[in-house]
Amino acid sequence: PQAYAAANVFALGSLFETFGIVYIEAMAMGLPVFCTEHPNQRSIVREGVFVNMNKVGALRDAIVHRDADFMRHLTLRGPEIIAETYALPQLKTAYVDAYHRIAQAKAELPTYNFTRKISQNMRNMVEKLRSTMYSFFPGR
């Protein structure tokens, strides 16, 4: 919290993050977030400055030439977005809803019969023989 409190903006220059909890932390502290232009980041941050991190100097330019009014907007919106989306009651509801959808989804499992079982066993045997041959004759 002290590091976030000492900052004016938060920037993460990576090309991709699977989630990026630091975005949530920064937004909760009221920091405008500068991050890569990627669908994952857009879905997490929602309102921020999205930058093409593949372009040399793009992050620097975005930070240097930031719009003061937009930064004030993001400072206010960050904690609101966190409260609306990432607070524990909202996350709990989202997870429970997802589990209910999964539980209600009809599972289409393959049916196995003798012919299919023999066929699968033959494919497995051929693959084992092939890998064994490659170990005896590398490069072939």
Side-chain angles (χ1 to χ4, degrees):
Q2 294 87 353
Y4 291 119
N8 294 321
V9 300
F10 176 81
L12 184 59
S14 63
L15 297 176
F16 174 78
E17 294 290 326
T18 54
F19 184 75
I21 191 76
V22 291
Y23 298 130
I24 305 305
E25 295 168 346
M27 291 170 65
M29 294 292 293
L31 292 176
V33 170
F34 289 72
C35 62
T36 191
E37 174 63 61
H38 188 277
N40 281 357
Q41 280 57 51
R42 280 206 172 271
S43 70
I44 295 163
V45 175
R46 306 213 177 160
E47 293 183 38
V49 180
F50 301 97
V51 180
N52 179 356
M53 297 295 180
N54 288 309
K55 185 178 172 189
V56 174
L59 178 58
R60 176 192 48 101
D61 290 345
I63 293 172
V64 169
H65 303 295
R66 65 184 185 258
D67 177 81
D69 290 334
F70 188 53
M71 294 299 105
R72 278 190 289 280
H73 168 76
L74 293 178
T75 296
L76 298 173
R77 275 297 289 151
E80 291 173 354
I81 292 169
I82 299 307
E84 294 165 2
T85 311
Y86 298 106
L88 191 55
Q90 284 73 14
L91 288 176
K92 179 182 171 187
T93 300
Y95 273 100
V96 169
D97 290 347
Y99 287 134
H100 280 290
R101 281 193 310 277
I102 292 167
Q104 293 172 358
K106 183 173 177 160
E108 295 290 330
L109 300 174
T111 56
Y112 284 97
N113 56 32
F114 183 73
T115 304
R116 180 175 262 181
K117 183 81 170 165
I118 294 296
S119 175
Q120 185 62 48
N121 285 343
M122 292 299 288
R123 279 194 295 273
N124 291 343
M125 187 174 68
V126 167
E127 187 56 39
K128 275 193 178 213
L129 284 171
R130 185 178 298 146
S131 66
T132 303
M133 287 182 63
Y134 283 131
S135 67
F136 285 119
F137 304 105
R140 291 191 177 205

